[in-house]
Amino acid sequence: MNLNQLLVRAAQSFPDRTAIGHGTRAYCDYATLARRAAGLAGALQGELGLARDDRVALFMTNCPEFLEVFHGALHAGMCALPINSKLHEKELAFILDNARAKVLFVTADHAEQGTRAIEAAGTETRLVVVGQGDEYARLRGTDPVVMAERGNDDLAWLFYTSGTTGQPKGAMLTHRNLWEMTLNYFVDIDRFPPDGVALHPAPMSHGSGCYGIPHLARFAAQVVPESGGFEPDEIFELCRHYSDVSFFAAPTMVKRLVEHPGGDEAPGLRTITYGGGPMYVADLKRALDRFGPKFVQLYGQGEAPMTITVLPREDHVATDHPRYEERLGSVGFAQSVVEVQVVYGDDNPVPTGEVGEVIVRGDVVMKGYWERPDANADTLRGGWLHTGDMAAFDADGYLTLKDRSKDLIISGGSNIYPREIEEVLLRHPAVLECAVVGQPHPEWGEEVVAFVAPAEGQEIDTGALDQLCLDNIARFKRPKQYRVAASLPKNNYGKIVKRELRNQLDAEAAGKTE
């Protein structure tokens, strides 16, 4: 079944209900959104000359038109290709060429970048600018067409990974994958009221856009900030204007909201679902102190969108539980529609408490990588998604992530997981952010190096950090060096890029040997 049936149903049952808000004003109702999507589908099939399964790329700052184009692509029986608008034009060019996208919809602020990317890719991709001029309005006003039939295993969303270890790969997400994610949201994440609001301060090309689909299933409104992104003042304003507001946020966004000096509390806030990187216990406690029981954590990957494990709202506030802090430091238990195991070697399950690689099986797991049989053979071997994440289950089935397998430090034959050290360092009030990496050592194999950035108005006392580590973790795990920096390198999703820190150490080592 075509996932866009959700929009067709909403328009039939609640045509006058607000479908999209832009800031504090209504942008369109469900009848209008469905008509525009069907019109765009007609333009895609007609004037733009696309066929079933062709890729429709979206390179946009968050805006209401994103939802029109996304649903237009699905309505037409094509595959949506949302691309993070913060990518470099060379990265955009690679994705357009790799996916053989036939059309690229951009916001005006990305028109020049899109044009250059198309030229660099050497493709015949048609560029369409939304939100200005007559072309987009004309395409949107094309005579509506009947929604295309789709099979459960047909592609709906081609989701490109962040490419931290090389060129990004396109995870093929089917209509079945996104249905599973959507229905599971109501079981494990939240069941909000039909008049709730999905706010989109995070990129709609990724997790925020994924969670727009469950809100569509409940006929809720989706609100795009006028800024097109994440501005704490604006978030507070929107949570005063609307009620039952839910949104997806990366941990860095939650931290910025907590630390934001202006604005008052957010009376309309219902749920912040966070994921996409480690939320350290110290940061999470501060968030709970400020906002109360509003948090749900998910662990997922683009390859299993938003759906591997969940730490529900009630676990965030169960302060009387004997392992409360350990659970706050975990990513919760397996979501309802997946099997999750921790394995080693030939995918043999490890005993409780031991560390191995997380693997996942279920109908939410991607069909495979776009035209990458080599990667599929490795990542999907045995019918399981091999995540590359190292973790351990406790006796209650709560999963604690240690690190990506590539971030593991082996010193003197002992495994050291950077996150354990980072959790300790972030307890110090002078530390705003930190990252722990390994560098080669002639005797021990690797040694631990901590990069730390100070909080505003603070100075880092490395002696105090060293004592903090000695008081809380084994001596062999403590950093042998502390590097203080004003800030740490991050990618377009706000994640600290440890590869750049390791490259810095390698360059320094090479310079010493020349």
Side-chain angles (χ1 to χ4, degrees):
M1 188 167 78
N2 192 325
L3 187 71
N4 199 57
Q5 175 61 31
L6 292 173
L7 176 56
V8 173
R9 181 183 70 141
Q12 182 178 32
S13 301
F14 300 97
D16 299 327
R17 182 172 289 179
T18 297
I20 306 175
H22 195 201
T24 58
R25 65 180 179 85
Y27 175 80
C28 72
D29 57 28
Y30 270 111
T32 303
L33 176 58
R35 183 172 63 251
R36 290 174 177 176
L40 282 169
L44 289 167
Q45 294 174 351
E47 178 180 338
L48 297 177
L50 276 70
R52 179 186 176 94
D53 291 323
D54 279 346
R55 275 69 60 201
V56 177
L58 299 81
F59 190 63
M60 302 181 182
T61 302
N62 284 3
C63 62
E65 292 87 352
F66 179 98
L67 292 165
E68 296 174 347
V69 176
F70 178 79
H71 288 287
L74 296 185
H75 192 101
M78 296 160 192
C79 175
L81 172 58
I83 304 170
N84 191 314
S85 64
K86 295 181 181 179
L87 292 185
H88 190 278
E89 64 191 55
K90 291 182 179 178
E91 297 170 299
L92 172 61
F94 170 83
I95 293 173
L96 294 176
D97 179 51
N98 186 255
R100 299 191 300 281
K102 295 296 182 65
V103 60
L104 173 63
F105 288 87
V106 299
T107 41
D109 54 333
H110 293 299
E112 292 184 7
Q113 195 176 5
T115 299
R116 292 193 298 267
I118 291 171
E119 292 174 351
T123 63
E124 296 182 358
T125 307
R126 170 84 170 264
L127 182 77
V128 177
V129 181
V130 306
Q132 70 172 29
D134 297 330
E135 183 183 28
Y136 177 72
R138 178 176 54 77
L139 293 173
R140 191 175 65 181
T142 300
D143 289 340
V145 295
V146 175
M147 184 177 65
E149 292 289 335
R150 299 296 275 163
N152 286 340
D153 292 326
D154 287 337
L155 294 192
W157 187 323
L158 190 55
F159 188 108
Y160 273 79
T161 64
S162 57
T164 55
T165 57
Q167 293 286 17
K169 300 185 290 291
M172 297 186 291
L173 303 181
T174 66
H175 289 262
R176 184 198 307 273
N177 295 151
L178 296 177
W179 277 113
E180 289 287 311
M181 177 205 72
T182 297
L183 297 176
N184 192 71
Y185 182 98
F186 304 121
V187 176
D188 289 333
I189 304 298
D190 192 20
R191 185 164 176 81
F192 50 87
D195 58 352
V197 167
L199 184 61
H200 290 292
M204 296 172 73
S205 57
H206 286 67
S208 191
C210 285
Y211 271 174
I213 301 172
H215 285 77
L216 172 60
R218 288 279 282 166
F219 318 115
Q222 299 189 58
V223 173
V224 182
E226 286 196 63
S227 67
F230 177 76
E231 297 293 339
D233 280 331
E234 188 176 22
I235 300 302
F236 283 114
E237 178 190 1
L238 293 173
C239 287
R240 290 191 294 270
H241 181 80
Y242 295 101
S243 59
D244 284 305
V245 175
S246 301
F247 62 91
F248 173 76
T252 52
M253 295 166 61
V254 176
K255 190 169 184 177
R256 284 183 60 192
L257 284 176
V258 171
E259 295 172 348
H260 187 63
D264 55 16
E265 296 308 311
L269 176 62
R270 176 185 175 89
T271 304
I272 298 177
T273 307
Y274 63 95
M279 172 67 96
Y280 297 105
V281 172
D283 291 337
L284 183 52
K285 283 185 170 181
R286 286 192 284 268
L288 288 164
D289 286 342
R290 176 154 193 191
F291 295 112
K294 309 287 188 180
F295 294 91
V296 178
Q297 180 180 192
L298 69 89
Y299 161 50
Q301 294 186 334
E303 294 86 344
M306 318 297 278
T307 315
I308 297 178
T309 65
V310 60
L311 188 70
R313 189 187 310 262
E314 53 267 25
D315 279 337
H316 284 79
V317 294
T319 55
D320 56 346
H321 193 280
R323 293 188 300 283
Y324 173 63
E325 290 216 1
E326 287 86 344
R327 287 191 171 180
L328 282 189
S330 78
V331 290
F333 46 81
Q335 293 197 42
S336 300
V337 298
V338 290
E339 298 173 72
V340 181
Q341 292 187 359
V342 174
V343 302
Y344 68 95
D346 294 328
D347 289 351
N348 298 308
V350 304
T352 297
E354 292 192 14
V355 176
E357 183 183 9
V358 179
I359 62 173
V360 184
R361 181 167 65 183
D363 283 345
V364 77
V365 172
M366 68 173 180
K367 187 174 184 177
Y369 289 119
W370 174 259
E371 297 183 343
R372 287 293 304 273
D374 55 333
N376 291 335
D378 180 50
T379 303
L380 296 175
R381 63 185 184 274
W384 291 81
L385 171 66
H386 291 69
T387 66
D389 290 325
M390 306 299 289
F393 272 123
D394 69 11
D396 298 327
Y398 283 71
L399 186 73
T400 297
L401 293 178
K402 299 301 182 177
D403 274 292
R404 296 287 292 172
S405 56
K406 60 184 175 61
D407 290 332
L408 175 68
I409 300 169
I410 302 177
S411 182
S414 297
N415 291 348
I416 299 174
Y417 297 97
R419 179 171 177 176
E420 181 181 8
I421 305 167
E422 292 162 356
E423 288 274 14
V424 172
L425 293 174
L426 283 168
R427 296 179 192 176
H428 197 286
V431 176
L432 175 64
E433 57 185 9
C434 67
V436 170
V437 299
Q439 74 171 358
H441 188 277
E443 182 178 356
W444 301 106
E446 288 184 289
E447 67 177 3
V448 179
V449 180
F451 288 80
V452 293
E456 186 175 357
Q458 299 285 331
E459 292 186 3
I460 299 292
D461 179 350
T462 58
L465 296 184
D466 209 43
Q467 188 59 52
L468 185 64
C469 289
L470 289 171
D471 290 343
N472 288 279
I473 55 176
R475 178 175 289 271
F476 77 89
K477 298 178 182 179
R478 70 183 178 89
K480 302 304 183 290
Q481 295 182 45
Y482 294 91
R483 303 290 190 93
V484 179
S487 62
L488 302 183
K490 299 178 183 68
N491 66 10
N492 293 315
Y493 310 102
K495 297 180 184 178
I496 295 172
V497 183
K498 292 187 175 182
R499 181 184 66 251
E500 292 190 17
L501 301 176
R502 286 191 288 265
N503 289 344
Q504 176 184 328
L505 295 174
D506 289 344
E508 291 176 5
K512 292 178 181 178
T513 59
E514 291 178 356

